[in-house]
Amino acid sequence: MFTGIIEELGEVIAIERGADAARITVRGPLVVQDAKHGDSIAVSGVCLTVVDQSADSFTADVMAETLAVSTLDEAAAGVRVNLERAAQVGDRLGGHIVQGHVDSIATVLAVTPGEAWRVVRFSLSPEIASLVTRKGSIAVDGVSLTVSAVSAADAAQQWFEVSLIPETLVATTLGSLEMGDRVNVETDILARHVERMLALEQATPRHRFSDERSEA
């Protein structure tokens, strides 16, 4: 589990591609300080498992499913990435609960600069549009953010916006986003659970004993 508070800006230094997987090596001196084999590190929002490491880098395997749903499929040497180690029990939860399980890829639709803030609008896949709400939590490339605006439910194109503070612009890859860039998106786990429970409630007939108790 992660919190979406980025610890370090890392850099992809190597990637080896196979038929249905890839092995990626990322430079991140801070996150490997106490890392060991089997530890989890989020790379731009994707939870990866350390399989090898050096004094300033770590290597992880990326499966086909992860490549299919995240921007790691486009990774190349020199690409900057957001890094976060797994949360420790007892840590402050500065962001929100982030699993490192990417829901979809979003595209930057607009970047609006302000005096101190920057508003970024992203496309929103119809499959997850119901899980994103104004003032709700969302992780973009692993960064915990609050949704500042969202498209109307009947809009032809679904989108959401976030307002980025100067610290986020400097300390993460989000500060360099431009129109057309693609990012990893993870919706709030609580929203996903609620959606699943509602779907099951609508699809599952009421139990007979519940009807009998209601009639009693």
Side-chain angles (χ1 to χ4, degrees):
M1 186 187 80
F2 306 91
T3 67
I5 304 300
I6 303 305
E7 296 183 279
E8 181 177 21
L9 269 174
E11 180 184 353
V12 176
I13 57 177
I15 184 164
E16 303 172 17
R17 300 184 183 276
D20 61 352
R23 174 162 285 199
I24 187 171
T25 301
V26 179
R27 179 179 290 112
L30 174 63
V31 298
V32 298
Q33 282 183 358
D34 58 354
K36 58 184 182 297
H37 188 277
D39 281 355
S40 295
I41 297 177
V43 178
S44 287
V46 181
C47 178
L48 297 180
T49 301
V50 176
V51 297
D52 195 10
Q53 66 188 97
S54 68
D56 67 349
S57 67
F58 68 94
T59 299
D61 291 318
V62 188
M63 297 297 98
E65 171 65 16
T66 303
L67 294 172
V69 301
S70 76
T71 58
L72 289 186
D73 188 45
E74 307 163 359
V79 170
R80 304 295 298 276
V81 289
N82 299 319
L83 300 177
E84 180 191 358
R85 290 169 289 187
Q88 293 181 317
V89 175
D91 278 356
R92 291 184 176 87
L93 186 61
H96 71 284
I97 296 174
V98 177
Q99 293 183 298
H101 301 161
V102 173
D103 290 309
S104 72
I105 295 174
T107 301
V108 177
L109 300 178
V111 178
T112 305
E115 184 176 345
W117 299 65
R118 187 176 301 168
V119 177
V120 184
R121 177 175 292 190
F122 299 93
S123 63
L124 184 56
S125 169
E127 290 77 16
I128 64 170
S130 62
L131 303 175
V132 180
T133 184
R134 181 174 176 270
K135 297 188 178 180
S137 296
I138 196 165
V140 176
D141 270 356
V143 183
S144 175
L145 300 169
T146 299
V147 177
S148 55
V150 67
S151 56
D154 59 354
Q157 181 183 40
Q158 294 293 306
W159 53 263
F160 71 95
E161 289 182 346
V162 295
S163 299
L164 305 179
I165 62 173
E167 173 64 18
T168 303
L169 296 173
V170 172
T172 77
T173 59
L174 302 189
S176 62
L177 288 178
E178 299 177 348
M179 284 185 60
D181 286 347
R182 286 154 46 97
V183 296
N184 298 318
V185 173
E186 179 184 334
T187 56
D188 188 356
I189 181 61
L190 298 179
R192 298 203 297 270
H193 276 301
V194 170
E195 182 183 59
R196 175 62 173 168
M197 288 188 293
L198 290 174
L200 288 173
E201 178 69 20
Q202 294 173 359
T204 306
R206 295 177 60 189
H207 295 295
R208 176 175 297 179
F209 74 86
S210 297
D211 293 335
E212 292 173 348
R213 289 185 61 181
S214 298
E215 295 170 359

